[in-house]
Amino acid sequence: MLTLERSPEFPRQIQKMFGAVASKYDFLNRMLSAGRDQYWRKAAVDLLSPKKGERFLDVATGTADIALEIAARHPSSLKVMGVDFSGPMLKLGQKKIAEQQREQTITLQKGCAESLPFAGESFHGAISAFGLRNFSDTQRALKEMHRVLKPDGNLVILEFSHPPNPVLGWIYLFYFHFLLPQVGKLFSRHDTAYSYLPQSVAKFPMRDELTLLLNQSGFQCATYQDLTFGIVTLYHGIKNG
Ligand SMILES: C[S@@+](CC[C@H](N)C(=O)[O-])C[C@H]1O[C@@H](n2cnc3c(N)ncnc32)[C@H](O)[C@@H]1O
């Protein structure tokens, strides 16, 4: 039974949950967000601003949508490393990478966000989309991303938020906490994964609070911007040069 408490079993439970929903993950993302999820990832990669010849790290890459979006910007002249601790998610990601013939650009590796298997100052940019909220130790993962970034490297985080407009907020609350878990359960055949989603968002720091955590993890000038009425928020920080 998955609880939101950061118990020693939490990472294993999260890993098991994503393994169990992996085959339906992309389909449910597109359906439950009415296709907006790909627009949010594109906006996140715009903010990361990949340049030719650079190396990027996608933390909690899942089925590699972000890694593929980065690769699409300069396919032959940049490198992307995607890391995730779920074998089934990575397997699906690898399949998509092969279908899009991006094997020369993207490498996937199994690993934990809280203990990244890379040397310091390895990447020009690091990004995590819808990953942070699932980590057992958010600040440790942020500090790890800071460690592996080169000086002046960019960090981009994409996470769910809650629309600040009260009317929209109520409509969204109804959708996110009532409809989405039922539709998610129906299609994923997983009892808790899609009720865990809104519960984990409700418990996770957003906007000013998360920006502060970025600053406290070593990132300079951390900022945020809302997308789609504040359903999601993009965060940006820079490693001091
Ligand atoms: C909601 S999915 C996001 C996947 C992808 N970034 C996307 O945009 O669709 C969260 C992913 O985080 C991974 N994950 C959660 N906690 C992790 C951790 N501590 N270390 C590595 N991966 C983790 C899960 O296996 C899952 O693939």
Side-chain angles (χ1 to χ4, degrees), residues 44-45 48 57-59 66 70 125-129 145 154-157:
V45 174
L48 191 65
L57 175 65
D58 178 19
V59 181
I66 285 277
I70 299 172
I127 185 165
S128 191
M145 291 188 241
N154 282 312
L155 173 79
V156 172
I157 300 292

Side-chain angles (χ1 to χ4, degrees), residues 18 25 41 60-62 84-86 89 111-114 129-130 134-135:
F18 280 105
Y25 178 79
R41 290 190 188 84
T61 189
D84 198 290
F85 68 9
S86 166
M89 293 288 274
C112 279
E114 294 85 352
F130 309 115
N134 302 294
F135 300 159

Side-chain angles (χ1 to χ4, degrees), residues 13-82:
Q13 291 170 336
I14 292 290
Q15 195 181 29
K16 205 171 150 200
M17 182 184 83
F18 280 105
V21 301
S23 63
K24 294 287 184 307
Y25 178 79
D26 284 352
F27 165 74
L28 278 165
N29 268 352
R30 307 296 179 267
M31 185 175 71
L32 294 170
S33 73
R36 294 307 280 173
D37 65 311
Q38 289 296 57
Y39 157 74
W40 296 331
R41 290 190 188 84
K42 278 185 200 299
V45 174
D46 285 347
L47 190 58
L48 191 65
S49 190
K51 312 259 183 322
K52 286 182 179 174
E54 291 185 334
R55 285 171 52 83
F56 294 90
L57 175 65
D58 178 19
V59 181
T61 189
T63 59
D65 277 341
I66 285 277
L68 285 162
E69 182 59 36
I70 299 172
R73 306 293 167 109
H74 302 289
S76 56
S77 67
L78 57 71
K79 296 284 179 205
V80 189
M81 174 66 74

Side-chain angles (χ1 to χ4, degrees), residues 45-233:
V45 174
D46 285 347
L47 190 58
L48 191 65
S49 190
K51 312 259 183 322
K52 286 182 179 174
E54 291 185 334
R55 285 171 52 83
F56 294 90
L57 175 65
D58 178 19
V59 181
T61 189
T63 59
D65 277 341
I66 285 277
L68 285 162
E69 182 59 36
I70 299 172
R73 306 293 167 109
H74 302 289
S76 56
S77 67
L78 57 71
K79 296 284 179 205
V80 189
M81 174 66 74
V83 68
D84 198 290
F85 68 9
S86 166
M89 293 288 274
L90 288 176
K91 198 171 167 197
L92 288 162
Q94 196 60 56
K95 189 164 170 259
K96 285 156 68 176
I97 290 165
E99 281 164 5
Q100 296 185 32
Q101 300 177 344
R102 296 288 196 230
E103 295 99 327
Q104 301 302 314
T105 312
I106 305 172
T107 306
L108 298 185
Q109 185 169 332
K110 202 166 183 188
C112 279
E114 294 85 352
S115 167
L116 291 171
F118 309 109
E121 304 192 358
S122 298
F123 300 97
H124 296 89
I127 185 165
S128 191
F130 309 115
L132 216 60
R133 173 175 44 83
N134 302 294
F135 300 159
S136 55
D137 187 336
T138 314
Q139 187 159 29
R140 198 168 145 195
L142 285 171
K143 284 183 174 172
E144 274 293 270
M145 291 188 241
H146 186 273
R147 179 182 67 78
V148 300
L149 275 174
K150 292 176 185 289
D152 295 324
N154 282 312
L155 173 79
V156 172
I157 300 292
L158 174 61
E159 258 308 341
F160 284 108
S161 282
H162 183 79
N165 178 294
V167 177
L168 272 177
W170 274 108
I171 297 169
Y172 186 68
L173 218 60
F174 174 75
Y175 170 72
F176 205 48
H177 284 259
F178 182 70
L179 278 183
L180 179 145
Q182 303 215 31
V183 177
K185 185 174 170 178
L186 185 71
F187 284 93
S188 70
R189 307 228 171 264
H190 193 283
D191 278 346
T192 49
Y194 286 86
S195 45
Y196 161 79
L197 167 60
Q199 287 166 16
S200 63
V201 173
K203 279 209 156 190
F204 196 67
M206 55 184 74
R207 300 193 179 96
D208 288 330
E209 226 185 315
L210 190 50
T211 306
L212 184 64
L213 197 61
L214 256 62
N215 283 324
Q216 288 170 347
S217 307
F219 291 98
Q220 303 283 305
C221 316
T223 54
Y224 70 82
Q225 65 190 83
D226 283 341
L227 299 178
T228 316
F229 310 112
I231 290 173
V232 299
T233 303

